[in-house]
Amino acid sequence: MNMPPEDVNQQIADHYDRSQYTSNAFYYASPAHIRASAFLYGVDTVPVEKARVLELGCASGGNLLPFALAYPEAQVVGVDLSSAQITQGQRVINELNVNNLTLHAMSLTGITKDFGQFDYIIAHGVFSWVPHDVQQAIMRLCKENMSPKGVAYISYNTYPGWKAGDIVRDAMMLNSFGADNDEDKLSRAKAMLTLLSDGLAVSNPLAPSLRGAVNQLRRFSDYYITHEYLETFNTPCYFVEFVNVADQNGLAYVGDAEPQSELSASFGQNVQLTHSMIALGQPKALRQQYLDFAVGRNFRKSLLTAPENAQNVASDPNLDQLQALRWAGFFQNANNDNTPAGAQAYTNQAGRNVTTKDTVVVALISTLSEAWPRSLSFDDLCNAEAIKAAAQADTAAALLKALQTMFKLGMLRYCLEPGPYDQPTTSASLTPGFAKLTALLQDNSDLPLGRFNLWHSVINPTLNEPELFVLTQMEKGGTENQWASALRDAWTGGKVNDVNGQTLKGQRNLDAKALLLVSRLKDLLRRQGVWLSKS
């Protein structure tokens, strides 16, 4: 017998209350990124500075906090079924004194037109993990609560990539059936992974796919396994099925929030050539479904809008329009013995690697890294001496080609208008909320919230005791010399230990040591995107 919807909702809420996962920011689910992505498909949206934003399934608000802090004139609302996570999020909001963010503990099915209209509606990690009536409610409110130029973001699991995952999930659910508690359920489920990796018969035709799914799963945390594989609901679908449901609910498909993922050229020449032949002349949704088969896609981040806003939506993101965006990125040299001769290897701010022999790409990387975390316009980049020297002739054409290369690789951050990092500043400063949030999480390790920069990226700098002390000094303003002097006095007074935990009480001549620590901390924070030098 099926459970009543209210009982199902309570069961889901109880599970999330007991097993809270870390609420993080996701750059591709930020309003500024969504606006820029929609622009590449030819869809005009509302500027983010004063936008009205709603997130469905917001957990503790980790994906809303960076936006609310960056744009204090925006109106930001989050809704989640878990009252425990909402309470935790509200605590952080109060501690950080965020006045434009409100969280509500309620079912998505309870949202009506009276809840208000929003320019950006975000549902990340929700759609595939709720029952059918809640999925329908998500589609309904995206239609009814969307402003005239609004856009909705919905992420979900997809086939064919999730086919092997279905088998893994079924096996884990089977072995964990009847567990006495959540810990026992997780333990039994994880035990099943051994059978699906080491205990498969040689003759099993699914063995490569199952081992691949298990090996990928083992890289994730227990929280991820619990909420991705052991939830009551996890219903992947084919992309064309999702688009059909959206259409039935009066919503039009725009494109993916990571537009490069819809370009067959992003996956190599063989995929591009074969896909272009098979998908020629087919509707956009069907072409994308063919591409999902080619790449084995298991997750999508779809943008939807009202049909009248998508009448002239582009089939693919317009790469010529990259010239209208602003760009940012930070790269560190990653050359090693395996780097090809004449090439340069880098690791970007998200930990992704790129190797190139293109001198314009190298100049682009250098220019953006020097400006980080600020963004630069196409004209700014064209006027950069390093890029002009590398391009030699037609700088604009060479730069556009380099941007297209890096865009297809998903290596850069971008936005449509100047962002919070790009405002003129008379002094160097930390990004809003970072110091307070770091101190709060340091004292309350049970808070299910991650740290972030204003590019909506997750960051996790490990700070020792003297660095945490200096962070509090930096929050107050001042200069490096003042922070170093304060640290020196704290060391000699025995109020703060050294980086190794040893006391420096009574020691002398610590000025140089303190100044070096301050300088290194400032450099670390800049790389993380939470320290901005004066402009």
Side-chain angles (χ1 to χ4, degrees):
M1 181 177 176
N2 292 331
M3 295 175 63
E6 58 272 17
D7 291 345
V8 173
N9 282 343
Q10 188 59 53
Q11 183 184 69
I12 295 173
D14 290 344
H15 186 197
Y16 276 94
D17 284 348
R18 293 193 311 269
S19 182
Q20 298 180 30
Y21 60 89
T22 302
S23 182
N24 282 318
F26 301 93
Y27 75 89
Y28 41 74
S30 68
H33 180 87
I34 292 170
R35 172 163 162 76
S37 298
F39 168 79
L40 294 177
Y41 288 99
V43 175
D44 186 29
T45 56
V46 174
V48 297
E49 287 81 2
K50 298 182 180 180
R52 294 159 294 176
V53 178
L54 170 65
E55 181 166 18
L56 311 174
C58 67
S60 299
N63 188 54
L64 292 174
L65 268 170
F67 178 76
L69 287 165
Y71 299 100
E73 294 187 59
Q75 299 175 34
V76 190
V77 179
V79 175
D80 199 276
L81 193 60
S82 170
S83 59
Q85 293 194 86
I86 291 296
T87 298
Q88 298 277 39
Q90 193 59 55
R91 177 185 173 189
V92 175
I93 290 170
N94 293 337
E95 290 281 350
L96 271 57
N97 196 29
V98 183
N99 298 316
N100 61 334
L101 172 56
T102 306
L103 303 181
H104 300 273
M106 61 185 297
S107 171
L108 304 185
T109 57
I111 297 177
T112 66
K113 289 183 179 180
D114 295 336
F115 203 72
Q117 285 198 324
F118 297 89
D119 306 310
Y120 297 90
I121 299 176
I122 301 165
H124 180 64
V126 179
F127 192 81
S128 292
W129 300 267
V130 292
H132 177 72
D133 66 306
V134 181
Q135 290 183 340
Q136 288 298 115
I138 291 173
M139 288 293 183
R140 171 186 57 76
L141 67 90
C142 282
K143 173 66 174 178
E144 294 180 353
N145 296 81
M146 185 187 292
S147 67
K149 293 177 64 176
V151 63
Y153 164 109
I154 301 178
S155 66
Y156 50 98
N157 287 336
T158 57
Y159 294 131
W162 245 91
K163 287 293 185 180
D166 268 350
I167 298 174
V168 173
R169 169 176 152 81
D170 289 344
M172 294 172 75
M173 294 288 282
L174 175 66
N175 201 47
S176 61
F177 180 78
D180 294 331
N181 51 57
D182 292 339
E183 291 75 17
D184 185 32
K185 184 176 183 179
L186 176 63
S187 177
R188 291 190 190 186
K190 291 173 69 175
M192 200 64 184
L193 297 180
T194 302
L195 173 65
L196 297 177
S197 59
D198 302 338
L200 296 176
V202 175
S203 58
N204 188 335
L206 298 176
S209 297
L210 293 176
R211 288 196 185 98
V214 169
N215 289 337
Q216 184 179 24
L217 183 55
R218 280 176 168 158
R219 297 199 299 267
F220 293 104
S221 68
D222 287 348
Y223 287 118
Y224 177 86
I225 294 174
T226 297
H227 293 293
E228 186 75 13
Y229 283 80
L230 301 180
E231 290 290 355
T232 304
F233 298 94
N234 189 339
T235 53
C237 63
Y238 282 103
F239 171 68
V240 289
E241 294 175 325
F242 176 85
V243 173
N244 183 55
V245 170
D247 181 67
Q248 290 175 358
N249 283 273
L251 295 164
Y253 180 70
V254 174
D256 200 88
E258 291 193 281
Q260 76 279 2
S261 70
E262 294 206 325
L263 296 170
S264 59
S266 297
F267 302 96
Q269 291 185 351
N270 289 341
V271 172
Q272 181 182 19
L273 177 61
T274 307
H275 180 264
S276 64
M277 294 172 59
I278 294 178
L280 183 65
Q282 298 290 351
K284 177 176 179 172
L286 195 55
R287 290 202 305 274
Q288 285 301 312
Q289 183 62 73
Y290 288 148
L291 186 59
D292 282 7
F293 280 120
V295 304
R297 202 187 310 271
N298 63 2
F299 192 67
R300 269 191 174 266
K301 315 172 198 68
S302 293
L303 303 182
L304 305 173
T305 192
E308 55 268 27
N309 296 337
Q311 291 177 354
N312 298 313
V313 66
S315 298
D316 294 312
N318 185 349
L319 298 191
D320 288 337
Q321 288 290 67
L322 298 183
Q323 299 177 77
L325 301 181
R326 298 181 66 88
W327 299 89
F330 181 81
F331 295 80
Q332 292 180 291
N333 190 302
N335 285 337
N336 55 44
D337 294 340
N338 297 321
T339 303
Q344 294 289 325
Y346 300 94
T347 301
N348 78 345
Q349 71 282 341
R352 297 188 58 194
N353 300 315
V354 61
T355 300
T356 182
K357 293 184 178 181
D358 189 322
T359 57
V360 181
V361 171
V362 170
L364 173 63
I365 285 173
S366 174
T367 303
L368 291 176
S369 297
E370 185 176 346
W372 175 262
R374 289 187 171 89
S375 67
L376 297 176
S377 69
F378 189 82
D379 287 343
D380 293 334
L381 292 168
C382 277
N383 291 326
E385 292 300 328
I387 294 176
K388 288 193 293 185
Q392 295 183 347
D394 190 340
T395 301
L399 173 59
L400 179 58
K401 181 181 177 182
L403 283 173
Q404 290 174 349
T405 297
M406 297 295 279
F407 173 80
K408 290 174 185 177
L409 294 173
M411 298 297 293
L412 302 177
R413 296 287 182 262
Y414 50 87
C415 54
L416 192 53
E417 294 102 356
Y421 290 114
D422 303 318
Q423 307 309 313
T425 57
T426 56
S427 61
S429 62
L430 288 165
T431 56
F434 176 75
K436 286 185 178 180
L437 180 59
T438 297
L440 185 62
L441 296 178
Q442 182 77 12
D443 296 335
N444 302 272
S445 58
D446 60 322
L447 275 176
L449 199 75
R451 285 178 290 176
F452 47 79
N453 61 30
L454 299 187
W455 279 109
H456 244 77
S457 297
V458 176
I459 61 172
N460 191 30
T462 302
L463 303 181
N464 54 46
E465 185 181 357
E467 288 173 334
L468 288 168
F469 173 83
V470 172
L471 192 65
T472 63
Q473 302 301 309
M474 297 171 80
E475 176 76 355
K476 299 174 185 177
T479 66
E480 288 187 48
N481 287 333
Q482 290 172 329
W483 306 328
S485 296
L487 176 60
R488 176 204 62 205
D489 293 343
W491 271 339
T492 58
K495 297 178 181 179
V496 175
N497 289 326
D498 196 4
V499 295
N500 57 9
Q502 300 296 316
T503 182
L504 296 175
K505 186 175 182 179
Q507 292 194 25
R508 314 185 79 161
N509 300 320
L510 296 175
D511 296 82
K513 179 183 177 74
L515 193 58
L516 179 61
L517 184 144
V518 167
S519 177
R520 288 177 174 174
L521 176 61
K522 189 183 74 169
D523 185 58
L524 169 65
L525 297 177
R526 190 183 82 86
R527 295 198 306 270
Q528 296 285 332
V530 293
W531 177 258
L532 187 63
S533 302
K534 67 178 180 179
S535 57

